[in-house]
């Protein structure tokens, strides 16, 4: 399995689950387009803070 859960750091500095089972991330201007294995798609203005692929985690921050 190559998908990861994506977490977004909120205004309090806490990680909140943003989208599960993401298998595609595309940069689009100042945004990131995330798509999961179920075809669900979300767009967020954020940058990648960290990736732990062995643990299937990606952390984003605005």
């Amino acid at each position: 399995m190559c998908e990861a859960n994506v977490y977004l750091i909120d205004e309090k500095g806490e990680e909140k689950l943003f989208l599960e089972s993401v298998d595609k991330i595309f940069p689009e201007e100042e945004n990131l387009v995330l798509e999961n294995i179920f075809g669900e798609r979300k767009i967020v203005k954020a940058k990648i803070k960290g990736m732990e692929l062995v643990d299937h985690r990606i952390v984003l921050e605005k």
Side-chain angles (χ1 to χ4, degrees), residues 4-10 13-16 18 25 32 34 46-53 56-62:
N5 290 334
V6 175
Y7 299 86
L8 184 62
I9 297 176
D10 66 13
E14 298 175 11
E15 293 180 9
K16 299 289 182 180
F18 185 70
I25 300 177
L32 294 174
L34 306 136
K47 63 181 181 177
I48 297 173
K49 181 177 180 181
M51 296 173 64
E52 300 168 13
L53 298 180
H56 304 278
R57 289 174 44 87
I58 299 171
V59 179
L60 306 178
E61 66 181 352
K62 290 189 175 186

Side-chain angles (χ1 to χ4, degrees), residues 9-38:
I9 297 176
D10 66 13
E11 57 278 345
K12 295 179 183 177
E14 298 175 11
E15 293 180 9
K16 299 289 182 180
L17 182 62
F18 185 70
L19 188 59
E20 293 181 288
S21 302
V22 172
D23 66 339
K24 297 176 186 172
I25 300 177
F26 302 102
E28 186 178 88
E29 296 179 13
E30 296 180 2
N31 300 317
L32 294 174
V33 179
L34 306 136
E35 188 173 316
N36 68 13
I37 60 173
F38 308 109

